[in-house]
Amino acid sequence: MRDTDGPVVGTLIRTATLVVRNARIYTTDSTRPWAEALACDGERIIAVGKEKAIDAVTGSQTKVLDASGRLVLPGFIDAHVHLIWGYELGTWIDLTGRPSLDEVQRRVATHAAVHPEEEILLGHGFDYAALRVSGLPDKRHLDYIVNDRPVLLTAWDGHTGWGNSRFVDRALEAMAAAGREIGEMQRNAATREPTGIFHRAFDITGLLPEVQRRRSLAGLQQTVSMASAVGITTAFDVQVNYEDLAAYDTLRKQGRLTVRIRAAIYHPADSPRSRYSDFLVACRRYDDDWFRVAAIKLYIDGVQETTTAALLEPYANDSTTRGETVYPEADFQSIVAELDRIGFQICTHACGDRGVRIALDAYERAAQLNGTSGHRHRIEHCENLAAEDIARIAHVGVIPCMMPRHSSPDLTARWREAVGPERTRRGFPWRELLAAGAELAFASDWPVAEIDPLIGIHEAVNRRTLEGDPSAHRVSLVEAIAGYTRRAAYACHTEANGGSLEAGKYADLIVVSQNLFDLPPERIREARVVKTVVGGQSVYRAADATGP
Ligand SMILES: [Zn+2]
């Protein structure tokens, strides 16, 4: 769907409400990439250029942001992030940092002792490879730590859940009530006993009242503030349950929303078509530049690490499988065609090359049936891609949304084992996608990886092969920044208002501690955002930053 609030470019010379001066402004606008200063009137930019030109619109009432010679960039746009997690979980056990099994157990035990009031314990971020158990962990690893209430820990991949026996019991109750298996529960092949692993854990948690009772605006406020502190001014929350959309609206009405949100409604595999009228009502209700709902998130497959991504050829570590798809292909095509017809931008999660192909086929088929829509359908992740589909993505006009950090060798041990060396070598082909003309958008996928776009930019620019050589897939600094600004704006239909610093667009901008263009590439990661401005208003300022 479209932006309603297009840019308004005044012809009269106005007095600025805010000017940014003494800056090295990289605009991302290829016709005039660099500027010294810019001026805003209210929430929009009115001029970008030389100090002198900006002085002419600076009055006695104008606020001045002196950037002290620092780099100013358009606010980052994270095209695939899950800020709603903060709302859904309220509090959780932090299992990031690749803890060992002992350490996971210690953190869970400590949290359980400190929080006797929590009726279910939720944790996030463990890495199965760091646990050093063979295969995936088991419910028994948790049972002797906590057996008085359910525990569910989700892996860093955001999909894989590891529950104790109490959690498995709750999940089985929920499935019995629903009359079907949910969440792709793993069972022991010989005994059929559930192991405690769920390949799509979020489908179960959405059904449990004890998880719903944890929902907390304070948790959402926390994740939104975290995004502001790393310079994100627009977040595409790619998977929000219909029932949770109102949380963003409430936060906004309370004046506490500091990041512009665009949301995609989560479409569980069993969503009846009768739900679509509700989805359309949400799009009409939440439809301005602070909070807009205009997309749908679907899954066609899972993740390589658990052999649930759909591949064209069998897995390297299990030749009996190519992974399953969430829908039979014909069903998926028909769902996509209907969602396209009624006006949604569709974001399909597809990690494997077969998943990507099925998504592309479905998008092409929808265009044949309904005409070319301009919805800019997307494929999320695209980690393995067949060579012939790289050109096709650009040709069909589908947007690949990819996460640079997911390709890092420290996160891909299990991924590489699953797909083998040849598909590893060809994985995450950013360079080829750009060369083919694809509008490649970058994103964090937080909480699956760090939210900081500067970490993503660092990885995109400095990507290396397993042998430690510069990767042929790495991109330039300009391309990496575009992935988090200009191209992300296109992926989110916000390019009329953001993604570059130009007169008429919103004054959504950041000040960075060091000039990324002067830093040796391997030190990009040391830079940090010191100031974030959204719509001409400061929403974040590092403790040691100067200026208003
Ligand atoms: Zn995601």
Side-chain angles (χ1 to χ4, degrees):
M1 289 178 197
R2 69 283 168 268
D3 273 318
T4 46
D5 311 338
V8 182
V9 186
T11 48
L12 296 173
I13 299 295
R14 288 167 288 184
T15 304
T17 49
L18 169 74
V19 297
V20 179
R21 50 175 306 278
N22 191 15
R24 294 272 292 140
I25 300 175
Y26 177 64
T27 65
T28 80
D29 171 9
S30 59
T31 60
R32 33 193 297 173
W34 291 96
E36 296 170 352
L38 64 76
C40 318
D41 182 11
E43 57 183 4
R44 290 190 189 265
I45 297 168
I46 52 171
V48 185
K50 298 256 182 228
E51 292 272 358
K52 242 191 191 145
I54 301 306
D55 284 348
V57 292
T58 305
S60 57
Q61 302 293 307
T62 304
K63 271 191 197 163
V64 178
L65 194 171
D66 182 332
S68 314
R70 284 173 164 157
L71 177 69
V72 170
L73 293 176
F76 290 131
I77 298 172
D78 191 334
H80 179 132
V81 63
H82 303 276
L83 298 181
I84 200 71
W85 264 63
Y87 176 65
E88 290 172 344
L89 272 66
T91 56
W92 62 89
I93 308 164
D94 181 6
L95 300 175
T96 56
R98 310 186 71 236
S100 64
L101 180 60
D102 283 354
E103 177 60 16
V104 168
Q105 290 169 326
R106 194 193 63 75
R107 292 186 200 177
V108 172
T110 306
H111 188 94
V114 177
H115 292 281
E117 79 290 355
E118 289 188 1
E119 51 189 328
I120 178 169
L121 303 179
L122 300 171
H124 174 73
F126 76 88
D127 179 346
Y128 13 70
L131 299 176
R132 302 193 184 288
V133 297
S134 81
L136 291 166
D138 194 280
K139 60 186 177 184
R140 289 166 302 184
H141 292 121
L142 294 173
D143 283 347
Y144 73 92
I145 304 299
V146 178
N147 59 20
D148 64 334
R149 52 196 146 149
V151 178
L152 177 70
L153 310 180
T154 45
W156 72 275
D157 65 26
H159 289 224
T160 312
W162 166 26
N164 65 352
S165 291
R166 293 290 294 264
F167 181 81
V168 171
D169 291 346
R170 283 296 291 121
L172 288 169
E173 275 173 40
M175 290 182 215
R180 64 188 196 284
E181 286 232 340
I182 299 166
E184 293 185 17
M185 186 173 68
Q186 188 190 59
R187 290 176 182 272
N188 180 293
T191 64
R192 304 304 298 149
E193 168 86 8
T195 63
I197 290 294
F198 297 80
H199 289 301
R200 292 160 59 78
F202 47 80
D203 280 345
I204 287 285
T205 50
L207 296 178
L208 300 181
E210 58 268 48
V211 177
Q212 282 154 22
R213 282 194 285 270
R214 297 169 72 101
R215 294 184 172 194
S216 145
L217 274 183
L220 183 60
Q221 165 91 76
Q222 204 180 331
T223 53
V224 166
S225 301
M226 172 184 70
S228 289
V230 294
I232 294 169
T233 55
T234 296
F236 190 96
D237 195 324
V238 73
Q239 183 171 330
V240 183
N241 290 316
Y242 170 79
E243 293 74 16
D244 296 339
L245 290 167
Y248 278 121
D249 191 47
T250 307
L251 202 64
R252 183 213 173 149
K253 285 182 177 142
Q254 293 175 353
R256 295 194 288 161
L257 191 60
T258 55
V259 174
R260 300 182 195 277
I261 301 291
R262 295 182 72 93
I265 306 173
Y266 179 40
H267 180 293
D270 55 1
S271 298
R273 303 249 170 139
S274 55
R275 281 294 266 172
Y276 296 178
S277 51
D278 291 342
F279 295 170
L280 285 168
V281 168
C283 294
R284 283 193 289 273
R285 184 177 302 150
Y286 308 123
D287 188 29
D288 68 45
D289 292 337
W290 274 101
F291 180 40
R292 174 164 290 129
V293 178
I296 293 282
K297 166 79 173 297
L298 296 163
Y299 280 77
I300 190 61
D301 69 0
V303 294
Q304 283 85 342
E305 286 87 344
T306 56
T307 65
T308 53
L311 298 180
L312 291 165
E313 301 297 330
Y315 274 89
N317 61 349
D318 181 356
S319 60
T320 65
T321 184
R322 299 193 296 150
E324 298 292 325
T325 57
V326 173
Y327 307 83
E329 190 171 348
D331 293 4
F332 183 72
Q333 288 205 349
S334 135
I335 290 168
V336 163
E338 176 61 8
L339 291 170
D340 173 82
R341 190 187 66 79
I342 60 179
F344 286 103
Q345 180 185 30
I346 302 166
C347 306
T348 299
H349 167 113
C351 279
D353 45 16
R354 185 159 51 95
V356 170
R357 181 161 299 169
I358 291 170
L360 276 174
D361 287 346
Y363 291 157
E364 239 178 1
R365 172 115 184 91
Q368 282 160 9
L369 286 172
N370 305 326
T372 306
S373 65
H375 296 327
R376 301 181 193 166
H377 299 317
R378 307 181 2 174
I379 301 182
E380 313 298 311
H381 307 294
C382 307
E383 297 180 353
N384 288 117
L385 268 168
E388 57 268 41
D389 288 333
I390 292 178
R392 201 170 146 225
I393 280 194
H395 175 74
V396 180
V398 168
I399 294 166
C401 180
M402 298 175 74
M403 297 75 191
R405 182 71 175 112
H406 288 189
S407 73
S408 309
D410 64 312
L411 290 183
T412 53
R414 190 63 71 94
W415 190 95
R416 298 191 307 260
E417 204 179 292
V419 303
E422 179 53 21
R423 282 176 293 200
T424 293
R425 198 178 56 72
R426 289 188 281 113
F428 302 92
W430 310 320
R431 182 80 273 137
E432 291 159 82
L433 282 163
L434 285 171
E439 291 283 354
L440 173 62
F442 283 147
S444 70
D445 202 12
W446 182 89
V448 179
E450 302 90 338
I451 195 168
D452 188 345
L454 288 169
I455 293 180
I457 289 171
H458 179 99
E459 294 292 332
V461 171
N462 290 289
R463 182 166 165 196
R464 289 189 175 266
T465 64
L466 278 178
E467 296 73 37
D469 301 317
S471 163
H473 300 301
R474 73 191 192 285
V475 302
S476 70
L477 178 60
V478 163
E479 286 161 338
I481 292 173
Y484 284 97
T485 54
R486 198 166 49 76
R487 290 185 198 279
Y490 185 80
C492 302
H493 286 271
T494 60
E495 76 276 13
N497 282 314
S500 66
L501 297 175
E502 293 176 67
K505 293 197 180 187
Y506 283 132
D508 294 357
L509 56 91
I510 58 175
V511 183
V512 183
S513 64
Q514 283 153 286
N515 190 335
L516 307 180
F517 292 86
D518 293 342
L519 276 179
E522 62 278 9
R523 291 183 51 202
I524 290 172
R525 219 183 159 119
E526 294 169 19
R528 67 202 166 82
V529 170
V530 294
K531 195 157 184 59
T532 306
V533 172
V534 181
Q537 300 287 325
S538 172
V539 297
Y540 169 76
R541 182 183 161 187
D544 54 346
T546 49

